[in-house]
Structure formats: C-alpha cells, structure tokens
C-alpha cells in the first residue's frame, strides 16, 4: 500500500501551492449554489413542496449538493490521455505497481485536497449565509462511506474517460458526455428522483446519482443505509470495468507497440 | 468595414469547408451537441414542471428567456471560440501572430477558428424558443411582439459577445482568466436563464453590471405583458452598444499592455 | 527604412509574496522587479540591406523584433518603420512587412497550403494576376507544387518552412523579418532556403534575420548586429565580427591509412586524434575550407571529412 499512499500525499502537497487561486475559484463556484438556492426558493416557495422535498430541504439540497460536487469532481480523463499522447504511458504500464491503483491514488490526493480546501470553505460559507443542518449521529456516520463511494465512483468515471484515449485520439466527446450526466443526473441541480417521467425512475440507479444524490439524501436524513446500495454496486461494477479495460489497453499497447 | 466583413465571410466559408471534409462526423457532432445541450433544458423543465411557476412566470414564459439566452450563448461559443479560449493565446504568446495582420485584431482573432458543431446547441435553444412562443399563442396572440421576440437572440448574442470581449481583455493583464469566466460567463448566463427578479439585490446588481439581465429578462418581461415599460424593448440595443464601447476600450488598453512571451 | 532611437523595453515581473494570500497581496502591492530586456539601443537599417541580428537566448533579440513589428509597445524611445510607428499605425505598417517566426505557424493548420495562400491573398488584397505571378516564382524557387494540396499539419518541417517563407512574401513586403527560419532543418533544406532568401534580397527586399546558425549569417548577411543583455555589442560587417571573435572553425579529416605525424606549417596547428584522424583549427578570414583541403590531401588519401563551426553562444561570450 505504501507507494499508493505516497502518491496520494504527493499530489495533495503539490496542490497546496495553489491554495489562494483555488480559494478564488471556490468563491466563484459558490455562486452556482446560490443561483440554485434562489431558483428553488422562488419555484417551490409558493407551493411549499416539490415531490417529497420541502422548500427548506431543497435549499439545503442545493447548498450541500454544491459542496459535494466540489469535493468529488475530477480532472478530465485523470490526465491519462496526456501520458497516452506523449507515449509515457508505456513506461507507466511497465511499473511494478498496478496502473489503475496508481492513477486512482494519484488523483485521490486531489480529492483529499478538494475536500479540505474547496468543499469545507464552501460548506462554511453556505452555513453562515443560508443555514445548515447537523444530521443526527447515525446519518453523520453514514456520510463517511457515502462520501468515500461518491469520490471513488467519480474517479472510476474519470478513469474511463482517460483510458478511452487508448482507442480514440480525442476524448473530448466522452468527457463532454460524462459532464452532461454529471450536471443533469448527479443531483447537483435537482434531486434525481424528481426528474420528469421515466428519467426520474431510471436515473437514480445510474452511476452519476452516486456522486451527489445519495450523499445529499443521507445528509438531509431522508434515507438510511439503503442509500449506500446503488453506490456500492456501481463501485464494484466500475472497478471490474476499469480493470478489464486496463488489461485490454495493455494488450492493445503490446500489439501496436509503444 | 465592408472589406472586413468580406474577409470575415471568406474565412468562415473556408473553415466551414474544412469542417465538412468529414461530413459524417460533422453531422454526428452537431446531432450529439443538440442532445447534450437538451440537458440544460431538462433542468429548467424539471423545476418549472414540478412547481408550475417560478417568480410568477410560467413554463412557456421562462422558455422564451431560456431560448434567447441559450441561442446567444451557443452562437457565441460557435463564432467566438477563440475569444473563449483567449487565455491560451496570451499564456503561449500566440497573440503575436494576430497582431501581424493588417486588420483589426479582434476580427483576425475571431476568424481563426469556429466550432460549428455547437450549432447543435443553437438548434436546441431555437426549438425551445419557437415552442414556447407557440404555446403562448404564436403571432395571432402576440402580434408584432412575436417577431420582436424571434429577433431578440440577435441583441442577446451581441451583448454576450461584448461581455466576453471584456473578460478576454483581462487576460492581457492577468494571464489566467478561468475564474472570471466561471463567474461572468457560465454563472451569469446560467442565472440569466430565469427571470432575474427571483434573485436578491446583490445578485441582481451583479447581473445588471454584467449586463446579462438585458439579454432575455428585461425585454421579454414587457413583450409578454408581465410589467415594465416600452423602454424595455429598446434597452437591449442601448446596453449592447454601451457594452461594446467599454469592451473595446478595455481591449485596446490590454493590447498596449500585452507582454508577449519568451525572451 | 527602419530607424530605432534609444529604444528600451522593461518587463515587470511581480514578486509572489510568501505566506497566506500571497498571490492576492502581491497583486495589490505591485511589488516586484523590473527586468530590462532591451536597454537603450539605436540603429538604422537602409533599404536592400540584409542584416543578421544575433545573440544568446534571452539577450533581447525577440523583444527588439517584436517592437519593430508592433507587437510590443516600447517603454521608452522610438521605432519608425517605413516612416511610421508600428505601434501607432500598426495596420498600415504591418501590411508592408513579412514576418516568419520559426517556432510558430501563420498558416491555417487544417487547410491545404493552397487555401492558406488564397486566404492570405484576400487578407492582403493581392490582385489575382500578381498572385499568379508570385506563385509561379515561388514554385520555381521553392517547389511548393509538390505539396500544394496537403493540409499544413501534414507537412514536414522543411516543407512547412518553405511554405511559411513564401506566405510571408506573398504580398510583396518591403521588409522581411525572419526569426530562426532554419532551425531544425537538414542541410539540403537549409541550402534551399538560403538561396531563396538571397534571391529575394537581390530583388530589393530588406531582410532582418535572427539565427543561431553562424553559417546563415556568413552566407547571407552583409551586416551583423550582436546583442547581449539588452545592449548592442557590435554592429558591422561579418569580417569585423570575425576579427573580434576569431572565426575558429575546425576541419576534421579521416584518412584512408595511418599517416605518420606531420605538421602543416603556415601557422596552422594540427591535432592528431588517432593515427588516421586529424583536426585542424583555422581562421575563416584567412583560409577557405578549400585551401585547407588541398593542404590536407597532400598528406594522404582522404576518406571522410567534416567541419565543426563555432556556435553563436561561445562566439558572443568572446566579445567581452
């Protein structure tokens, strides 16, 4: 485990250099949360509730959703595509540590940093300006695995973007596609289960809902441990898919040459 | 001026031909962009659909604002892609090449590349606008205002372009302008897709200073009989002209401060 | 043609303050240091001159050229090109110059060379007849026809550079600025480009060339300016430059069979690296490589030879 840990702490420390720039960035992205909050207040205010969500809950949803989003968002393709384009990837695949683990732990450092320097200040800001809720202890404890699963599934999705660069020269479309589901189906703007029609029934079971929707439901006390089910299944499935694709990528490289 | 337009048309045509070199992949990317940008609409739809009104506006009325802002945003991304990516020009010193042409630098910059696949987003927002106007009764009910609203994306695009010129000009001094762009382009346009009356004072002020509120909300409000005065129909033109003047002044000042790169 | 008076360019490099909020505080304090890239230089270039402008990296070459072409605004002093200020009347001045930056392309990456040229002709309003005449001339000298329909991104470096230079000359500029036009090219491509530049200069185009290759200067330039630390250290003929720095080239010769050690006399010092390989340092202002070759072949049968040129960095270092 030691090399993975080292990789993670190294990325974390590298990020520390840009604290101030990122703080400005955080203030910038807080504005999206405010916009969502005011939209919900104006939209749901007069009628009291939307679906099973009260106005108060929707406002907290928008704020905590923005916090989660900032904690789990990833660099496009986890930068795998850069190594593929430069050809360095053949060296990285040769290293005696697992490539998937290598990339994931490198990015996990970013996430740790994001949690402390992006998400936490954002939460504070919203807590002061909008209000906050301290969930009861069981929910608080459930938030830990829920967050871990959200971060991990996010990394897997980013890994899929990046690894696709072995077969296509331009991963722009794949990451664009991912981005779209991230905004529409993660729950950052609206709870996924109130999306209209069949979307509201299907998308809560898609991997993107893991990122914001389920942690939010736990945070608001709307769901218990069963909110970990869908994320856990996706974590397992995506791990298998990522590992499978890594094997294929390795083979592809061996056939095509470095 | 005429010469400039002629040259611009020529360069658009050349880039269009280049995009059509791979017809199939070009059509696919437009189609893809259309559907991907539908998700923007989906969010608006979900909110208004489940609550019926936002700030006293119904779905079709908000659809008009959404459509106007959406067209402006997508047209800007199509024809202003180099302005959107402008920080790279400054950081890598590539702006040198732009200054070496005997034409206004903005014209040369804007004509370097176009992202035609984003026309898919224009189609999507356009469809939303047409559909909303249809639900509001079409030309029979709206009369001449129907045609006014159909043409409104023009001023909207002009305003969004001007704002982006100002954002890009800041790169001459600061290099990186991603944060500013997040605030003044992405967040501002996102907020402006709804009636801006729903926001608190500080945000309304911000949306007036970055004048996106004049792109859709102000003129649409009067045109749909939701308040305001006839002035609201002319304001977008005045704002567009003013913003362009300020942006161009900022651009010129930035150009003089440009430091190029390397030795 | 070009007049430069007391030209100076300072760059401000902000100091990033340590500690929390360092970036923001430094933005507000505007603390930092001023770096002078070009320091009070003056010169004049007349029509038809072919001037080499050399110096080590970071000496101020590019900054000067960027001020001459209107890209950068001087901190102090004045620039006049064809009687106008390239900053104040940028579009007017720029329309009469051609510029090639070796590292950057002015062509349209995704379009065939032909379309790039057509767009440039439209941009510089080249009449159709002139355009056709120019193309024929370019094709004669640079053989552009071979890759006329190839998208620029698929051209080899040598082909692209030929395209770039022709593109910069399409509107028949009075002045041509070249920044490292031969960098990374093979001998044959270099030769083709040098011949072309000579031809262009003979037709009356004024050329200012920056390069790292002393052979470019030697073959092409009647006049050399050397800049370092923002100051012009030398402005004169190539002979003048060599008299200052000594143009010590080295000829390395491999003989077919071992040669018993010989000295050549004539003040030439010969170093035997093995019993069949000799190296001779010689001064180009006194000996031509040809003379030397004749001397060497008197020693034995020559199998192979090559010449090592002094590089600009070490040459300029000698100017102190």
């Amino acid at each position: 485990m030691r090399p993975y840990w080292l990789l993670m702490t190294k990325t974390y420390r590298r990020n520390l250099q840009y604290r101030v720039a990122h703080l400005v960035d955080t203030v910038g992205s807080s504005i999206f949360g405010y916009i969502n909050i005011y939209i919900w207040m104006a939209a749901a205010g007069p009628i009291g509730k939307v679906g099973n969500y009260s106005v108060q809950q929707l406002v907290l949803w928008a704020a905590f959703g923005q916090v989660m989003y900032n904690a789990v968002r990833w660099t496009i393709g986890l930068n795998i595509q850069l190594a593929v384009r430069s050809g360095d990837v053949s060296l990285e695949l040769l290293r005696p540590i697992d490539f998937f683990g290598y990339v994931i732990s490198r990015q996990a450092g970013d996430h740790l940093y994001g949690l402390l320097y992006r998400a936490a200040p954002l939460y504070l800001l919203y807590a002061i300006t909008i209000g906050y809720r301290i969930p009861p202890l069981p929910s608080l404890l459930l938030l830990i695995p829920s967050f871990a699963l959200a971060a991990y599934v996010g990394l897997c999705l980013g890994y899929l973007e990046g690894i696709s660069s072995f077969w296509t020269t331009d991963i722009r479309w794949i990451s664009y596609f991912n981005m779209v589901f991230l905004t529409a189906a993660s729950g950052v703007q609206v709870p996924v289960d109130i999306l209209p029609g069949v979307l509201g029934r299907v998308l809560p079971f898609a991997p993107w809902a893991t990122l914001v929707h389920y942690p939010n439901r736990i945070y608001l006390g709307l769901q218990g441990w069963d909110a970990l089910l869908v994320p856990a299944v996706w974590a397992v499935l995506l791990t298998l898919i990522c590992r499978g694709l890594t094997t294929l990528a390795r083979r592809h490289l061996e056939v095509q040459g470095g | 001026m005429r010469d400039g337009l002629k040259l611009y048309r020529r360069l658009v045509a050349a880039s269009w031909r280049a995009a059509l070199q791979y017809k199939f992949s070009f059509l696919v990317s437009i189609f893809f962009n259309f559907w991907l940008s539908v998700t923007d609409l989906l969010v608006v739809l979900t909110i208004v659909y489940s609550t019926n009104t936002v700030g006293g506006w119904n779905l079709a009325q908000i659809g008009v604002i959404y459509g106007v802002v959406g067209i402006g945003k997508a047209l800007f991304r199509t024809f202003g892609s180099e302005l959107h990516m402008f920080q790279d020009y400054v950081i890598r010193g590539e702006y040198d090449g732009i200054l070496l042409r005997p034409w206004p630098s903005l014209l040369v910059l804007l004509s370097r590349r176009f992202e035609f696949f984003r026309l898919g987003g224009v189609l999507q927002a356009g469809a939303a606008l047409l559909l909303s106007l249809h639900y509001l009764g079409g030309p029979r009910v709206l009369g001449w205002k129907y045609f006014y609203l159909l043409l409104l994306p023009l001023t909207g695009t002009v305003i969004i372009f001007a704002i982006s010129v100002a954002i890009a000009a800041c790169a001459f001094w600061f290099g990186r302008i991603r944060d500013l762009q997040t605030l003044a382009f992405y967040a501002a346009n996102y907020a402006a897709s709804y009636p801006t009356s729903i926001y608190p004072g500080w945000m309304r002020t911000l949306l007036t200073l970055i004048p996106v509120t004049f792109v859709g909300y102000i003129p649409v409000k009067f045109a749909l009989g939701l308040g305001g005065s006839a002035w609201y129909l002319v304001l977008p033109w005045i704002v567009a002209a003013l913003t362009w003047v300020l942006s161009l002044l900022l651009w010129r000042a930035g150009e003089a401060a440009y430091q190029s790169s390397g030795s | 043609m070009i007049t430069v008076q007391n030209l100076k360019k300072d760059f401000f490099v902000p100091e990033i303050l340590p500690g929390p909020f360092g970036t923001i505080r430094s933005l507000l304090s505007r603390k930092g240091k001023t770096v002078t890239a070009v320091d009070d230089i003056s010169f004049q270039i007349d029509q038809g001159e072919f001037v080499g402008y050399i110096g080590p990296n970071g000496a101020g070459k590019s900054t000067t050229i960027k001020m001459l072409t209107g890209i950068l605004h001087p901190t102090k002093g004045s620039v006049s090109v064809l009687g106008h200020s390239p900053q104040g009347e940028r579009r007017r001045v720029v329309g009469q110059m051609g510029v090639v930056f070796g590292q950057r392309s002015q062509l349209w990456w995704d379009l065939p060379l032909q379309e790039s040229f057509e767009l440039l002709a439209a941009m510089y309003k080249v009449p159709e007849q002139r355009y056709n005449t120019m193309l024929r001339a370019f094709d004669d000298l640079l053989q552009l026809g071979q890759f006329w329909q190839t998208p620029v991104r698929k051209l080899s470096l040598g082909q692209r550079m030929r395209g770039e230079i022709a593109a910069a000359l399409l509107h028949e500029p009075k002045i041509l600025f070249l920044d490292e036009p031969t960098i990374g090219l093979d001998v044959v491509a270099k030769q083709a480009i040098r011949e072309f530049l000579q031809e262009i200069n003979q037709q009356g185009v004024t050329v200012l060339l920056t390069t790292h290759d002393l052979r470019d200067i030697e073959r092409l330039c009647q006049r050399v300016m050397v800049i370092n630390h923002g100051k012009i250290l030398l402005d004169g003929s190539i002979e003048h430059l060599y008299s200052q720095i000594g143009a010590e080239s080295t000829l390395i010769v491999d003989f077919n069979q071992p040669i018993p050690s010989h000295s050549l006399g004539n003040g030439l010092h010969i170093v035997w690296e093995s019993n069949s390989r000799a190296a001779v340092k010689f001064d180009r202002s006194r000996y031509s490589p040809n003379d030397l070759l004749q001397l060497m072949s008197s020693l034995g049968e020559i199998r192979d030879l090559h010449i090592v040129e002094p590089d600009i960095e070490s040459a300029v270092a000698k100017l102190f």
Side-chain angles (χ1 to χ4, degrees):
Chain A
M1 280 316 276
R2 195 173 148 66
Y4 302 114
W5 173 252
L6 274 177
L7 269 166
M8 187 172 125
T9 47
K10 219 183 84 196
T11 341
Y12 171 78
R13 281 207 206 98
R14 200 189 52 221
N15 268 310
L16 276 182
Q17 298 167 16
Y18 305 106
R19 259 176 310 195
V20 180
H22 289 157
L23 207 63
V24 176
D25 190 39
T26 303
V27 174
S29 70
S30 76
I31 207 96
F32 283 98
Y34 284 116
I35 295 171
N36 285 326
I37 287 166
Y38 294 122
I39 292 172
W40 276 125
M41 295 211 295
I47 52 169
K49 66 190 308 196
V50 174
N52 297 321
Y53 301 93
S54 71
V55 182
Q56 186 57 29
Q57 280 172 333
L58 285 168
V59 166
L60 286 176
W61 182 287
F64 195 68
Q66 199 62 33
V67 173
M68 275 306 296
Y69 178 76
N70 271 280
V72 302
R73 68 176 191 189
W74 60 85
T75 333
I76 291 174
L78 308 186
N79 288 339
I80 301 173
Q81 74 280 12
L82 302 182
V84 171
R85 213 176 305 148
S86 70
D88 291 348
V89 77
S90 41
L91 281 175
E92 291 181 355
L93 275 169
L94 277 177
R95 291 210 184 105
I97 65 172
D98 175 57
F99 183 68
F100 175 66
Y102 163 73
V103 174
I104 294 282
S105 39
R106 191 175 60 187
Q107 293 298 318
D110 272 343
H111 272 52
L112 186 65
Y113 173 85
L115 185 65
L116 292 176
Y117 287 92
R118 272 205 304 261
L122 207 53
Y123 185 73
L124 258 165
L125 188 66
Y126 289 136
I128 295 166
T129 53
I130 299 300
Y132 57 92
R133 169 196 152 88
I134 297 178
L137 191 64
S139 299
L140 218 50
L141 288 179
L142 275 178
L143 263 183
I144 297 168
S146 175
F147 172 77
L149 284 169
Y152 180 71
V153 167
L155 287 177
C156 288
L157 291 173
Y159 187 84
L160 288 180
E161 287 174 4
I163 199 86
S164 69
S165 60
F166 276 88
W167 296 277
T168 133
T169 45
D170 192 358
I171 68 162
R172 204 176 46 187
W173 285 103
I174 287 180
S175 74
Y176 191 13
F177 178 84
N178 218 346
M179 190 66 199
V180 159
F181 277 91
L182 187 65
T183 42
S186 69
V188 65
Q189 286 174 330
V190 295
V192 183
D193 55 337
I194 65 166
L195 288 173
V198 74
L199 293 176
R201 266 169 278 143
V202 173
L203 285 177
F205 299 101
W208 297 279
T210 305
L211 303 170
V212 179
H213 182 73
Y214 289 108
N216 259 8
R217 284 184 67 83
I218 291 177
Y219 172 71
L220 290 175
L222 293 167
Q223 222 174 327
W225 63 270
D226 53 326
L228 297 178
L229 278 178
V230 172
V233 170
W234 276 115
V236 173
L237 274 179
L238 285 172
T239 308
L240 293 177
I241 295 171
C242 287
R243 287 193 173 277
L245 283 176
T246 311
T247 315
L248 284 182
R250 202 184 290 270
R251 208 165 296 156
H252 181 78
L253 204 65
E254 282 161 9
V255 176
Q256 304 274 310
Chain B
M1 185 73 188
R2 267 243 305 294
D3 277 1
L5 282 177
K6 221 167 99 190
L7 178 73
Y8 184 75
R9 267 213 308 279
R10 231 198 130 128
L11 291 161
V12 174
S15 174
W16 177 255
R17 277 198 304 278
L20 283 183
Q21 270 176 10
Y22 310 96
K23 261 197 206 68
F24 178 72
S25 94
F26 178 60
L27 288 176
V28 168
S29 63
I30 284 195
F31 177 79
F32 207 39
N33 188 259
F34 178 93
W35 282 109
L36 292 183
S37 58
V38 163
T39 53
D40 285 346
L41 185 60
L42 182 71
V43 174
V44 180
L45 218 67
T46 307
I47 294 175
V48 192
Y49 193 71
S50 53
T51 60
N52 285 321
T53 64
V54 175
W57 292 54
N58 67 27
L59 182 56
Q61 291 164 336
I62 290 178
V64 175
I65 305 188
Y66 169 86
V68 171
V69 174
I71 293 175
K73 210 168 57 176
L75 274 178
F76 167 71
R77 292 300 299 276
T78 310
F79 291 96
S81 76
E82 296 312 89
L83 210 49
H84 196 71
M85 301 294 166
F86 189 64
Q87 71 168 33
D88 296 345
Y89 273 90
V90 174
I91 292 168
R92 298 188 203 135
E94 279 163 12
Y95 194 60
D96 295 8
I98 304 289
L99 286 170
L100 292 175
R101 302 294 183 204
W103 291 93
S105 50
L106 263 177
L107 177 77
V108 181
L109 177 74
L110 286 173
S111 60
R112 276 195 73 85
R113 211 167 58 96
F114 304 91
E115 294 192 334
F116 290 113
F117 67 89
R118 293 194 192 272
L119 289 175
V122 179
L123 287 176
Q124 180 268 128
L129 178 62
L130 278 176
L131 246 116
S132 303
L133 288 176
H134 175 75
Y135 276 110
L136 291 167
R140 272 192 312 144
V141 176
L142 295 169
W144 61 274
K145 285 169 184 156
Y146 176 84
F147 299 100
Y148 175 85
L149 289 171
L150 270 189
L151 291 177
L152 192 57
L154 280 180
T155 41
T157 310
V158 172
I159 294 174
I160 291 177
F161 247 96
I163 296 170
S164 291
V165 170
I167 299 173
C170 292
F172 285 121
W173 290 284
F174 302 117
R176 287 178 201 286
I177 47 160
R178 276 270 170 268
D179 303 335
L180 192 63
Q181 214 164 34
T182 305
L183 191 78
F185 183 79
Y186 290 106
N189 283 321
Y190 176 53
S193 308
Y194 295 87
T196 43
S197 52
I198 65 173
Y199 303 115
W202 66 270
M203 229 161 102
R204 283 208 305 274
T205 313
L206 204 65
L207 295 175
T208 312
L209 288 176
I210 309 166
V212 277
T213 189
F214 298 97
V215 172
Y217 172 68
I218 294 282
V220 172
K221 183 172 177 175
F222 182 75
L224 294 181
L226 292 161
S229 71
W231 260 107
Y232 283 21
L233 300 182
V234 202
L235 267 176
W237 289 101
I238 301 172
V239 169
L242 271 176
T243 319
W244 265 105
V245 170
L246 288 177
S247 298
L248 287 178
L249 284 176
L250 197 65
W251 186 263
R252 188 181 292 174
E255 221 166 58
Y258 175 58
Q259 294 220 338
S260 192
S261 77
S263 51
Chain C
M1 278 239 121
I2 300 177
T3 313
V4 169
Q5 266 168 347
N6 306 99
L7 191 63
K8 190 172 180 211
K9 179 70 190 174
D10 293 335
F11 288 110
F12 180 75
V13 184
E15 177 195 359
I16 303 296
L17 299 168
F21 300 102
T23 347
I24 288 181
R25 281 194 295 128
S26 19
L27 207 65
L28 296 176
S29 72
R30 297 301 277 169
K31 249 190 203 164
K33 57 178 186 216
T34 304
V35 178
T36 304
V38 169
D39 192 2
D40 197 25
I41 63 172
S42 304
F43 59 84
Q44 185 168 345
I45 294 175
D46 295 324
Q47 200 199 331
E49 280 196 275
F50 201 130
V51 181
Y53 193 45
I54 61 175
N57 282 328
K61 279 180 309 202
S62 300
T63 307
T64 314
I65 299 244
K66 282 173 185 170
M67 284 192 282
L68 294 182
T69 49
I71 293 169
L72 290 174
H73 291 231
T75 311
K76 242 189 234 150
S78 71
V79 182
S80 154
V81 177
L82 297 159
H84 303 281
S85 150
Q87 282 77 27
E89 292 169 82
R90 180 179 69 80
R91 283 158 59 190
R92 183 172 181 170
V93 175
V94 150
Q96 314 227 38
M97 53 172 78
V99 182
V100 178
F101 287 140
Q103 317 277 28
R104 297 214 176 100
S105 181
Q106 55 179 328
L107 304 166
W108 281 259
W109 213 235
D110 293 317
L111 297 180
L113 199 60
Q114 178 178 17
E115 282 213 47
S116 279
F117 273 66
E118 281 166 7
L119 290 175
L120 285 171
M123 202 176 242
Y124 288 91
K125 299 179 188 156
V126 181
E128 195 170 329
Q129 227 179 349
R130 265 328 275 166
Y131 175 72
N132 291 329
T133 324
M134 288 307 283
L135 279 194
R136 238 170 290 131
F138 290 146
D139 192 37
D140 280 350
L141 291 161
L142 293 168
Q143 282 84 45
L144 298 182
Q146 304 163 358
F147 44 91
W148 196 226
Q149 299 296 340
T150 317
V152 173
R153 70 187 129 87
K154 289 188 182 157
L155 297 180
S156 75
L157 187 61
Q159 290 173 330
R160 208 199 83 202
M161 197 47 72
R162 280 188 271 167
E164 296 276 357
I165 293 177
L169 288 163
L170 192 61
H171 56 291
E172 299 178 78
K174 299 202 171 75
I175 305 175
L176 181 63
F177 292 97
L178 298 155
D179 192 9
E180 304 285 357
T182 57
I183 200 163
L185 299 184
D186 61 58
V187 186
V188 181
K190 271 184 187 174
Q191 195 55 29
I193 282 178
R194 282 177 193 145
E195 273 164 24
F196 180 70
L197 291 178
Q198 213 153 30
E199 172 73 30
I200 287 299
N201 179 240
Q202 270 155 19
Q203 288 169 18
V205 180
T206 311
V207 187
L208 184 65
L209 164 79
T210 75
T211 182
H212 267 91
D213 192 336
L214 266 181
R215 300 292 310 203
D216 284 345
I217 302 280
E218 193 174 291
R219 275 288 311 274
L220 296 167
C221 304
Q222 302 113 24
R223 175 178 164 195
V224 203
M225 293 194 290
V226 183
I227 186 171
N228 202 9
H229 300 301
K231 296 221 181 254
I232 290 185
L233 302 178
L234 182 144
D235 184 351
S237 63
I238 184 85
E239 288 78 20
H240 182 55
L241 175 70
Y242 282 151
S243 73
Q244 294 289 307
I245 62 175
E248 292 236 303
S249 299
T250 310
L251 176 71
I252 295 172
V253 179
D254 286 310
F255 292 98
N256 257 335
Q257 63 275 93
I259 303 288
S261 277
H262 269 287
S263 68
L264 282 171
N266 305 43
L268 282 166
H269 182 60
I270 194 164
V271 177
W272 290 91
E273 295 181 359
S274 72
N275 55 9
S276 67
R277 169 177 265 216
V280 191
K281 280 198 177 357
F282 67 103
D283 186 341
R284 275 181 180 271
S285 56
R286 291 175 57 201
Y287 296 93
S288 78
N290 209 17
D291 298 338
L292 212 64
L293 202 57
Q294 273 174 10
L295 276 171
M296 295 298 275
S297 57
S298 66
L299 295 176
E301 202 178 325
I302 293 173
R303 183 163 55 88
D304 195 9
L305 63 100
H306 62 277
I307 296 180
V308 180
E309 300 294 349
D311 65 319
I312 293 220
E313 313 282 330
S314 60
V316 170
K318 284 188 197 153
L319 274 175
F320 290 102

